[in-house]
Amino acid sequence: MTSNFKILGRDPSIILYALQSILAALVAFGVLGLTEHAAAILLTITSGVFALITAAVTRPWQVSLFTGAVKTILTGLVAFGLPVSEVQMGAIISALTIVLGLLLYGNVEPKDTAITNP
């Protein structure tokens, strides 16, 4: 099963994981000006939302959903369970997103859609 469904000419899972990593880096550098608690909420929610979107646009969706669930749980643990600063939280979540994104990339492919499958 090959598909032509792309976001910005790339595999949608890579784009979504890259956006999550960039967001975590922005939090780490304090660019967004969020409090530590607000940053934790933002990163955890976006992690879950991006996981659902990734599962919706890739196949097999179970792999994407499981990887996304692990990422969201670990993001929540780092954000709310560990005594780390906002900078450390952003760096850990950014690294976690990159590692899980690389693990996911080789195991899924973009979903066939009506647009890509005439």
Side-chain angles (χ1 to χ4, degrees):
M1 176 170 103
T2 59
S3 172
N4 295 326
F5 179 70
K6 306 285 185 198
I7 297 176
L8 300 175
R10 302 281 182 224
D11 185 341
S13 63
I14 293 301
I15 297 296
L16 292 168
Y17 272 75
L19 288 174
Q20 177 73 25
S21 185
I22 290 168
L23 179 63
L26 290 174
V27 167
F29 287 108
V31 173
L32 302 177
L34 300 172
T35 65
E36 192 170 320
H37 186 70
I41 291 171
L42 175 70
L43 289 174
T44 304
I45 290 174
T46 56
S47 179
V49 170
F50 283 4
L52 290 174
I53 294 170
T54 302
V57 298
T58 58
R59 292 295 175 259
W61 61 268
Q62 296 90 342
V63 175
S64 298
L65 196 60
F66 177 74
T67 307
V70 168
K71 180 172 64 97
T72 303
I73 290 167
L74 291 175
T75 299
L77 286 175
V78 168
F80 297 107
L82 297 176
V84 295
S85 70
E86 183 181 349
V87 173
Q88 292 169 326
M89 176 178 56
I92 291 168
I93 292 170
S94 184
L96 172 69
T97 301
I98 291 168
V99 169
L100 288 175
L102 289 173
L103 291 174
L104 175 72
Y105 181 68
N107 297 306
V108 296
E109 60 186 25
K111 173 180 153 182
D112 280 328
T113 66
I115 295 171
T116 63
N117 200 9

